[in-house]
Amino acid sequence: SSDLTNQPASFSILHYFTAPDPFTKTNSDGAFSFSGLVLSGSTLYGTTYSGGTNGSGTVFAVNINSLGFTNLYSFTGGNDGSGPHGGLTLSGNTLYGTTSAGGTLTNGTLFAINTDGSGFTSLYSFSGGSDGANPQADLVLSGNTLYGTANTGGSSGNGTVFSFTLPSILLTNLSKLPGGTFQFSFMNTSGSTNTVFATTNLALAFANWTSLGTATEVSPGHFQFTDPQAANNSKRFYRVRSP
């Protein structure tokens, strides 16, 4: 007879998480991965509860052939959240997840991040009131709606089941580049046409806004637009229209 319960040749380590600094609790890759993994192609994605460059956890990617590990994002413990406990949900090139703490009200967050580590967005901060607090489980995505659970909070203090409807156009990051050029990114349906409009006066009817052109799809569903005219205005407002 053969023993099928312990076959050393069938088991391999894809990545060893490094020990955090005993004082700062930081490291390069994360520590204490409680979550499940999600697979896309030959890459696994997951979270760690702590560690990372800020000691507040990470989102990571590791290749199934063990040849590559990437720390995609290190949580700061601020508005972005801290201590992700649940796994990630994948849709296209976007990963969705929760943090069990942090956020604007310190009770956890819903977040989105692209699979290449770009475009991190905090979608929602739990208040600890009727909406719940400290989500620790995986999310389920159906259509344009995320479903999940919060561990505590709610009307009785014993947690909630919640839904969150994603905006059709999801802003991911804004940055002012050298020379005053302004750039922002957003997510929308892959292959869609997105026209960017701008104005310096919100009181103007939309028909009087200036069309700046279309955004560039830099990866499936991830669009980027750069406004070289931004430096000429003390403030500027933008709209994106997807016909």
Side-chain angles (χ1 to χ4, degrees), residues 73 75-82 99 101-106 108-111 120-125:
Y73 187 81
F75 290 91
T76 69
N79 291 347
D80 56 344
S82 67
T99 66
T104 57
L105 298 167
T106 72
T109 66
L110 278 174
F111 67 84
F120 181 91
T121 303
S122 181
L123 299 171
Y124 184 81
S125 286

Side-chain angles (χ1 to χ4, degrees), residues 1-92:
S1 65
S2 61
D3 182 4
L4 299 180
T5 62
N6 187 15
Q7 296 291 319
S10 301
F11 183 87
S12 62
I13 300 295
L14 301 181
H15 179 75
Y16 287 98
F17 289 98
T18 58
D21 182 279
F23 299 103
T24 65
K25 310 300 182 184
T26 62
N27 64 4
S28 61
D29 52 354
F32 303 110
S33 182
F34 298 126
S35 72
L37 300 168
V38 62
L39 177 67
S40 178
S42 60
T43 304
L44 292 162
Y45 298 92
T47 62
T48 67
Y49 181 78
S50 60
T53 57
N54 302 296
S56 296
T58 66
V59 176
F60 67 84
V62 62
N63 199 292
I64 58 175
N65 63 13
S66 73
L67 295 179
F69 177 93
T70 305
N71 178 354
L72 297 175
Y73 187 81
S74 286
F75 290 91
T76 69
N79 291 347
D80 56 344
S82 67
H85 197 284
L88 299 165
T89 298
L90 178 67
S91 177

Side-chain angles (χ1 to χ4, degrees), residues 27-212:
N27 64 4
S28 61
D29 52 354
F32 303 110
S33 182
F34 298 126
S35 72
L37 300 168
V38 62
L39 177 67
S40 178
S42 60
T43 304
L44 292 162
Y45 298 92
T47 62
T48 67
Y49 181 78
S50 60
T53 57
N54 302 296
S56 296
T58 66
V59 176
F60 67 84
V62 62
N63 199 292
I64 58 175
N65 63 13
S66 73
L67 295 179
F69 177 93
T70 305
N71 178 354
L72 297 175
Y73 187 81
S74 286
F75 290 91
T76 69
N79 291 347
D80 56 344
S82 67
H85 197 284
L88 299 165
T89 298
L90 178 67
S91 177
N93 287 325
T94 304
L95 297 160
Y96 298 96
T98 62
T99 66
S100 62
T104 57
L105 298 167
T106 72
N107 290 293
T109 66
L110 278 174
F111 67 84
I113 186 172
N114 294 323
T115 53
D116 62 0
S118 65
F120 181 91
T121 303
S122 181
L123 299 171
Y124 184 81
S125 286
F126 288 86
S127 72
S130 61
D131 57 345
N134 314 121
Q136 298 183 19
D138 296 5
L139 298 167
V140 174
L141 178 64
S142 178
N144 206 39
T145 303
L146 290 165
Y147 299 92
T149 59
N151 190 45
T152 60
S155 59
S156 66
N158 292 295
T160 62
V161 179
F162 63 82
S163 68
F164 180 84
T165 301
L166 296 166
S168 58
I169 296 178
L170 177 63
L171 186 69
T172 55
N173 62 345
L174 305 94
S175 57
K176 189 173 183 179
L177 305 179
T181 297
F182 185 72
Q183 186 179 85
F184 62 89
S185 301
F186 58 90
M187 290 181 280
N188 200 1
T189 305
S190 180
S192 61
T193 300
N194 298 275
T195 304
V196 178
F197 296 82
T199 186
T200 57
N201 181 7
L202 280 177
L204 285 178
F206 181 60
N208 296 321
W209 286 45
T210 302
S211 174
L212 303 180

